[in-house]
């Protein structure tokens, strides 16, 4: 999916359009609030931030920043990263800690909802999209991002 979601360009206008598409899709798909967050990779400059419904919690931002950190460190979606590292019988967080020999892995989150913005002809990650809310929608956060990018394209 990451290879199918390559943008022709990425700037604040693209982030605005993408963010609004993803927010609209969250509103249509979920009955609970989600945070939609888009930033530049090189500066963490916030380009888009919105909730899909009333009721988002301050804790949502904690998850957003952890997912953003994982995408920036490994250049992969958090869902893909979680699937790659999870070991049988261990939590994703414990697998992350063991795989990368971290004393503390709490700065990162490899559950679905973080996605790299990649641009044709540009090496690496140009930005990060994060959708986060209640845990019961975990894989849905990834899907709503991919669907939003495909709709934009």
């Amino acid at each position: 999916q990451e290879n199918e979601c390559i943008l022709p360009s990425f700037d604040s206008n693209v982030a605005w359009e993408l963010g609004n598409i993803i927010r609209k899709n969250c509103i249509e798909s979920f009955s609970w609030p989600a945070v939609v967050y888009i930033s530049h990779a090189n500066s963490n400059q916030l380009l888009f931030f919105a909730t899909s419904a009333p009721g988002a919690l301050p804790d949502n931002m904690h998850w957003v920043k952890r997912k953003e950190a994982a995408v920036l460190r490994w250049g992969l979606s958090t869902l893909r990263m979680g699937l790659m590292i999870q070991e049988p019988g261990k939590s994703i967080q414990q697998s992350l800690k063991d795989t990368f020999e971290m004393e503390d892995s709490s700065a990162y989150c490899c559950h679905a909802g973080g996605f790299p913005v990649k641009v044709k002809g540009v090496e690496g990650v140009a930005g990060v999209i994060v959708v986060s809310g209640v845990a019961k929608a975990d894989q849905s956060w990834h899907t709503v991002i991919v669907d939003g990018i495909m709709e934009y394209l």
Side-chain angles (χ1 to χ4, degrees):
Q1 289 176 324
E2 291 172 31
N3 292 333
E4 296 172 11
C5 293
I6 307 294
L7 300 176
S9 64
F10 182 65
D11 61 18
S12 58
N13 291 324
V14 172
W16 177 258
E17 288 183 52
L18 266 174
N20 279 293
I21 290 169
I22 294 168
R23 181 179 182 271
K24 172 189 64 81
N25 292 347
C26 286
I27 291 167
E28 293 171 357
S29 301
F30 312 124
S31 60
W32 52 84
V35 168
V36 180
Y37 173 99
I38 302 176
S39 67
H40 264 297
N42 63 351
S43 64
N44 288 346
Q45 179 186 7
L46 181 61
L47 298 175
F48 183 91
F49 180 87
T51 60
S52 63
L57 301 171
D59 188 53
N60 292 129
M61 206 55 208
H62 171 73
W63 289 96
V64 164
K65 296 308 282 181
R66 292 177 64 210
K67 290 177 184 183
E68 179 186 43
V71 172
L72 291 172
R73 179 165 178 175
W74 292 291
L76 304 172
S77 74
T78 52
L79 175 63
R80 181 175 170 193
M81 195 66 197
L83 292 172
M84 285 173 47
I85 64 164
Q86 188 162 20
E87 300 172 41
K90 291 185 179 179
S91 69
I92 291 175
Q93 210 61 35
Q94 186 60 50
S95 295
L96 181 67
K97 194 173 181 178
D98 294 347
T99 300
F100 295 100
E101 299 178 354
M102 297 178 174
E103 286 187 33
D104 180 13
S105 63
S106 65
Y108 306 100
C109 174
C110 291
H111 295 277
F115 201 88
V117 174
K118 295 186 178 179
V119 177
K120 184 176 180 162
V122 176
E123 187 176 342
V125 175
V128 178
I129 301 172
V130 178
V131 176
S132 192
V134 296
K136 65 181 175 183
D138 193 39
Q139 191 139 351
S140 298
W141 302 138
H142 178 86
T143 302
V144 79
I145 294 169
V146 171
D147 289 350
I149 294 171
M150 297 306 289
E151 184 177 333
Y152 172 81
L153 291 171

